[in-house]
Amino acid sequence: MNRKKILVTGGAGFIGGNFVQYMVNKYPNYDIYNLDLLTYAGDLTKHREIENKDNYHFVKADIADREAIMSLFEKEKFNYVAHFAAESHVDRSITEPEIFVETNVLGTQVLLNAAKEIGVTKFVHVSTDEVYGELDFNPTTFFTEETPLQPNSPYSASKASSDFLVRAYHETFGLPVNITRCSNNYGPFHFPEKLIPLTISRVLNEEKVPVYGDGKNIRDWLHVLDHCAAIDLVLHEGVNGEVYNVGGHNERTNLEVVKTIINTLGKSEDLIEFVADRLGHDKRYAIDPTKLEKLGWNPTYTFETGIAQTIQWYLDNKWWWEQIISGEYQNYFKRQYLFN
Ligand code: NAD
Ligand code: TDX
């Protein structure tokens, strides 16, 4: 039987977690290994419905722990790696940049080296459109795969550095890699420090919603399940060494996003509070996804259908985000994996 082993790093986080569930359900004949350090952003409660499936496996480890990663690769001989693990929050990178270098740069190099040593079939590195820097407000300009990298935050600089290492492992050692650069994701299990889940949870609790600066910065929103389908496609069909941009032409100002959520929930726009701007706040991101579309990918959600589904999900799954905000989710690993 054609049983493949797929290592998903960061599979307890937002996008990696959605990807783990997508793969476990779609490919019963693949073994999906979720490797995660369970930082503040890692949460295993989201996997309650799949954690007992035969093709789901969890490994707690730090991607920057060279010895642990090498011995895991030697033991399991993974066929594929989908690398999501990262420090992902721009605001945190402004106050604590060091961990972004350790995890995003060093951790990626450790994984690349282990993948090279055992000879994987494919290593997909999940990067971000933020490595391209910022666009102006001219709506006809987009990031393509040829746009030069000009990262502006410690977060995007660390991601760009990891992109260069991935490229170097392909050029120097012939490692079969792809880099994907995605726009802002949203959807179920999005950690409530990020704009959309923060707004939904605050509005539901009748709390103020902080909007940075004048709220006119633009992000290009992509539903996380469309992103999962893109990574699945690139993992199986991506041309080795290529970069693929992922985005769905859904540009909105932050103020439009916040107002859409407030209005959908029938609350007052008085909840909006303009606060000091983020340092180095990128004006606009917008993706040209033509190359990935030619490979066979198309988004299935518009922003309207996706945000409606997401708001409904947060209404239906208060159990999830309330225990994230209270911190209770951090006890789940001990209960399920250590004390049983
Ligand atoms: P997230 O912060 O929700 O999840 C990150 C996960 O990585 C967490 O589970 C965390 O515990 C784990 N992790 C952190 N450090 C680790 C380490 N040293 N070893 C092992 N695991 C570790 O992030 P996300 O939003 O799901 O983003 C996933 C990836 O996608 C990141 O690489 C990010 O740069 C990229 N990305 C995110 C977006 C977005 O809109 N969220 C957009 C484009 C690209
Ligand atoms: O409270 C807030 N108020 C606000 O106005 C927060 C948290 C954000 N913002 C603004 C800043 C951004 O312009 O909203 C926009 C979105 O902010 P975030 O949700 O922090 O996302 P962003 O900084 O755009 O980065 C996200 O998308 C690209 C992910 O966190 C990154 O990991 C990914 O690479």
Side-chain angles (χ1 to χ4, degrees), residues 87-91 127-130 155 159 182-185 190 193-198 209-213 215 217-219 221 254 258 275 278 281-283 285:
E87 287 294 332
S88 71
H89 194 36
V90 174
D91 290 331
S127 189
T128 169
D129 59 358
E130 298 197 19
Y155 162 70
K159 292 296 289 188
C182 188
S183 59
N184 285 58
N185 281 220
H190 201 180
E193 66 183 347
K194 309 279 168 60
L195 180 67
I196 287 183
L198 179 117
V209 178
V211 171
Y212 299 164
N217 300 60
I218 291 176
R219 297 294 182 263
W221 293 97
N254 294 336
V258 168
V275 299
R278 173 184 279 174
H281 197 174
D282 286 335
K283 285 198 227 17
Y285 306 139

Side-chain angles (χ1 to χ4, degrees), residues 115-116 119-121 166-177 240-241:
K116 169 179 85 79
V120 298
T121 305
V166 175
R167 178 190 152 85
Y169 268 72
H170 176 69
E171 296 295 327
T172 305
F173 305 111
L175 189 70
V177 304
N240 287 338

Side-chain angles (χ1 to χ4, degrees), residues 281-299:
H281 197 174
D282 286 335
K283 285 198 227 17
R284 173 174 168 256
Y285 306 139
I287 284 276
D288 175 354
T290 309
K291 186 171 170 184
L292 190 63
E293 285 170 358
K294 285 191 183 145
L295 196 70
W297 176 84
N298 273 297

Side-chain angles (χ1 to χ4, degrees), residues 10-16 35-43 61-64 83-88 103 126-129 155 159 182-185 190-191 193-194 227:
F14 164 46
I15 309 175
L35 182 151
D36 202 292
L37 182 59
L38 301 182
T39 68
Y40 81 92
D43 144 60
D62 182 346
I63 56 167
H83 174 35
F84 294 85
E87 287 294 332
S88 71
T103 293
V126 180
S127 189
T128 169
D129 59 358
Y155 162 70
K159 292 296 289 188
C182 188
S183 59
N184 285 58
N185 281 220
H190 201 180
F191 200 86
E193 66 183 347
K194 309 279 168 60
H227 190 190

